[in-house]
Amino acid sequence: MPFGLLKYGLLPSRRVPRRIPPTPELKPSYDVVIIGGGGHGLAAAYYLATVHGITNVAVLEKGYLAGGNTARNTAIIRSNYLTPEGVRFYDESVRLYQGLSNELGFNILYSERGHLTLAHTDAAVRTMRWRAEVNKHCGVNSELIFPDDIRKLAPSLNLSQDVRYPILAALHHPPGSIARHDAVAWGYAIGAARRGVEIHQQTEVTGLKREGNRIVAVETNRGTVACGKVLQAVAGSSTRLADMAGLRLPIKTVPLQACVSQPLKPFLDPIIVSGSLHVYISQSSRGELVMGGSTDPYPLYSTRSTLEFKETLMAHMLEMFPFLSEVRLLRQWAGMADMTPDFSPVMGETPLDNYYLDAGWGTWGFKATPVCGKRMAETVATGKAPDILHAFRLSRFEEFAQAGERGAASVGH
Amino acid sequence: MKTMTCPLNGVRNISEFVCGGEVRAMPDPATGSDAEWADYVFMENNKAGVVREWWCHTPTSFWFIAERDTVTDEILRTYPAGEVFTARRDFASKEGGS
Ligand SMILES: Cc1cc2nc3c(=O)[nH]c(=O)nc-3n(C[C@H](O)[C@H](O)[C@H](O)COP(=O)(O)OP(=O)(O)OC[C@H]3O[C@@H](n4cnc5c(N)ncnc54)[C@H](O)[C@@H]3O)c2cc1C
């Protein structure tokens, strides 16, 4: 019997087709070179090919496909931001996500859970009301709710008023979702590769050759390629690449840690965030509790984990869900987040003529993968950033025109 | 727990400290241009390697300077700011201003 099974499994007709082709030889030149094979770079490649018919494209990834922050994030998708520019932008992403499994023909396990941001102080209640009003004004479903309604959505949450930070209210955002992060990247990669985009793994960009105001060639550990246009989408390595291009960025690289528990029976439907307690939690489709908090206290180019992170996270988590004291942690990890001073991204044109930037995604960029891909592809194809990206331009800092999203992005991601 | 040596209080848990950012020269308040200020306030060197930063021991509000490696997470040296700032710096005064 085991041999029969083995024989059956090894039949050529049973072999699973390889959907992402192996890394090809580098060609001498490409119309577009995308640096960084995470979700953002792959989505941009996909929309360049599908929307703009540009397929002479190489995605250069120094490690393995989507092994950076795309592989490390906690997959929360939402659009309940604070500024109208932010809400409009993230809303476009949520809408693209809702149809993405169909668009890609690949199941991204999109799961609409609803999202609760807890308020433990009067000041936080005011901010939640403010966000709810801005959201509704922009056509996004958000509502301020109080403990009676919170209890219906999350019966296991500790709503006692006899704790250090009692829960007074919550911003309820029904479209809040989670998705399978790897599947998002793989779906875009498969779609792009099928249309002729080349994906080069283990290909690290080591230098950029500049002539006048253009980047004319990209140097890698596998040789140099000439390029028509370049898109940089390297998250935690944004400054290192910008240094090669001679650009200055308002970015600090800071680790963000997360962890999951052993799997439990499903009990937690919504995603729950507490800005005051610096924690958030959701239950994955495998039953694991996915938990995280705010970034590490100081900049670092490292993905190490710390005991301190887990101690402070759990101290607060136990106040919200006391019975978790019985549960064990399964895994922990970290990613390098590219943090900006206003908690908004830096996207669009740069002082160079043919070099485009998708950076400053900090702790909140997974939810923006589809809209970034689509709008950065448009920017690269036309040479001009569309209106929806205007608020996130690099030049906003010298114009003192920040897009302040700290209140909506610092813990909730 | 990771530790840091405060020049005033000795070895303490790292959670007692906050990082105040890289030591950089401030533009002259009277003569600095908007572009210089924007760069000073928003832009970051964000160096991968050894950096020199302001740190504060929060229980005692003592600010000092630390040199640390942002790749290996090693703290190489901490010392009082007086080692770097040895002389008073006078800024230009605006003409006619007080
Ligand atoms: C723990 C954690 C939790 C998070 N939770 C959320 C969340 O719940 N919701 C949310 O919206 N966002 C979240 N984020 C943020 C989100 O993960 C990122 O903003 C997003 O994944 C960025 O995507 P990317 O494609 O730009 O970056 P990445 O996936 O990091 O891709 C960049 C790629 O560039 C490659 N690269 C770097 N340097 C070079 C080079 N020199 N040459 C070639 N390639 C290079 C890297 O190897 C990497 O694969 C979280 C992040 C972390 C770390």
Side-chain angles (χ1 to χ4, degrees):
Chain A
M1 187 357 221
F3 289 111
L5 194 61
L6 198 63
K7 214 172 119 197
Y8 180 72
L10 291 177
L11 276 180
S13 61
R14 297 295 310 165
R15 218 158 277 164
V16 181
R18 183 163 182 161
R19 286 193 276 194
I20 298 167
T23 295
E25 289 299 311
L26 277 172
K27 290 198 290 196
S29 110
Y30 296 91
D31 293 342
V32 178
V33 170
I34 297 176
I35 307 172
H40 285 219
L42 294 165
Y46 173 85
Y47 292 108
L48 273 176
T50 55
V51 178
H52 304 280
I54 300 173
T55 55
N56 185 17
V57 177
V59 178
L60 309 182
E61 166 53 52
K62 80 169 175 195
Y64 61 92
L65 197 71
N69 287 356
T70 299
R72 298 157 195 272
N73 75 84
T74 45
I76 297 170
I77 298 164
R78 63 190 175 90
S79 59
N80 56 353
Y81 277 72
L82 193 58
T83 66
E85 295 81 5
V87 176
R88 177 177 163 221
F89 175 76
Y90 292 107
D91 183 44
E92 181 167 308
S93 209
V94 169
R95 285 168 201 274
L96 286 166
Y97 258 125
Q98 287 166 344
L100 199 58
S101 292
N102 279 339
E103 158 93 26
L104 298 175
F106 196 82
N107 190 354
I108 64 157
L109 301 180
Y110 192 78
S111 171
E112 203 169 279
R113 301 293 192 82
H115 184 280
L116 291 173
T117 315
L118 306 178
H120 308 259
T121 61
D122 284 343
V125 175
R126 265 198 305 280
T127 310
M128 297 313 151
R129 197 183 287 282
W130 176 10
R131 277 169 69 182
E133 293 309 318
V134 172
N135 288 182
K136 280 187 272 193
H137 183 70
C138 300
V140 166
N141 189 356
S142 286
E143 198 76 57
L144 190 69
I145 63 171
F146 297 92
D148 282 351
D149 288 322
I150 300 173
R151 186 172 289 114
K152 285 181 208 148
L153 294 166
S156 49
L157 184 62
N158 180 12
L159 285 160
S160 162
Q161 297 298 300
D162 295 329
V163 291
R164 192 146 72 112
Y165 298 107
I167 295 164
L168 304 180
L171 180 69
H172 181 214
H173 177 53
S177 300
I178 50 177
R180 178 83 197 129
H181 44 76
D182 297 321
V184 172
W186 295 337
Y188 277 126
I190 294 164
R194 196 185 292 144
R195 289 164 178 88
V197 170
E198 288 183 6
I199 298 168
H200 294 265
Q201 304 188 52
Q202 311 283 322
T203 307
E204 177 170 3
V205 173
T206 52
L208 297 169
K209 211 153 124 208
R210 184 168 165 172
E211 268 174 27
N213 216 26
R214 298 176 66 81
I215 300 296
V216 292
V218 176
E219 293 157 8
T220 79
N221 59 338
R222 294 173 57 223
T224 301
V225 289
C227 54
K229 294 176 176 182
V230 183
L231 170 61
Q232 170 187 326
V234 293
S237 300
S238 291
T239 305
R240 297 195 211 195
L241 263 295
D243 282 349
M244 295 179 200
L247 301 173
R248 260 172 95 61
L249 297 182
I251 286 176
K252 284 186 194 174
T253 297
V254 188
L256 178 66
Q257 306 187 41
C259 56
V260 295
S261 74
Q262 59 187 176
L264 305 175
K265 283 184 182 168
F267 73 94
L268 185 64
D269 196 32
I271 304 149
I272 296 183
V273 182
S274 166
S276 311
L277 297 180
H278 300 285
V279 295
Y280 65 94
I281 181 169
S282 73
Q283 191 170 23
S284 77
S285 47
R286 281 195 293 244
E288 297 164 350
L289 296 172
V290 182
M291 296 173 280
S294 33
T295 53
D296 275 18
Y298 54 90
L300 203 61
Y301 283 91
S302 168
T303 52
R304 57 100 179 89
S305 292
T306 63
L307 176 63
E308 209 191 337
F309 158 73
K310 289 181 285 288
E311 277 184 345
T312 44
L313 180 77
M314 293 316 155
H316 288 143
M317 204 59 88
L318 291 182
E319 194 163 311
M320 286 163 52
F321 296 102
F323 59 90
L324 290 186
S325 61
E326 309 287 321
V327 176
R328 281 165 202 275
L329 277 191
L330 195 63
R331 284 192 307 278
Q332 58 174 85
W333 67 91
M336 297 190 297
D338 37 335
M339 302 297 290
T340 55
D342 58 0
F343 286 71
S344 281
V346 179
M347 302 177 76
E349 296 117 317
T350 67
L352 297 171
D353 292 338
N354 66 338
Y355 197 82
Y356 303 93
L357 201 57
D358 175 27
W361 276 110
T363 65
W364 52 86
F366 173 69
K367 73 178 68 58
T369 305
V371 71
C372 281
K374 189 171 162 203
R375 297 309 196 157
M376 284 314 301
E378 188 180 339
T379 305
V380 171
T382 63
K384 191 175 170 345
D387 184 44
I388 195 166
L389 300 188
H390 184 69
F392 310 122
R393 66 202 178 279
L394 175 60
S395 63
R396 73 177 182 272
F397 294 97
E398 61 193 52
E399 296 160 18
F400 298 93
Q402 297 186 68
E405 286 288 6
R406 187 183 194 126
S410 64
V411 179
H413 309 324
Chain B
M1 174 88 59
K2 195 176 174 63
T3 58
M4 190 175 216
T5 304
C6 172
L8 185 65
N9 302 285
V11 181
R12 317 291 300 183
N13 285 342
I14 192 90
S15 56
E16 290 185 21
F17 298 89
V18 292
C19 176
E22 227 188 315
V23 177
R24 289 166 70 182
M26 190 177 88
D28 191 315
T31 59
S33 66
D34 285 356
E36 276 166 19
W37 274 106
D39 188 271
Y40 176 68
V41 176
F42 298 124
M43 296 296 150
E44 299 287 347
N45 293 322
N46 196 26
K47 190 177 147 195
V50 176
V51 292
R52 200 169 62 168
E53 292 169 324
W54 286 106
W55 280 73
C56 180
H57 180 248
T58 45
T60 55
S61 295
F62 182 74
W63 283 95
F64 59 95
I65 294 176
E67 285 172 14
R68 64 178 187 99
D69 190 321
T70 60
V71 177
T72 60
D73 197 12
E74 277 168 306
I75 297 158
L76 305 172
R77 206 159 90 79
T78 55
Y79 47 91
E83 262 192 44
V84 175
F85 298 91
T86 48
R88 182 189 158 85
R89 180 172 171 203
D90 289 311
F91 291 107
S93 66
K94 258 205 180 117
E95 224 175 310
S98 61

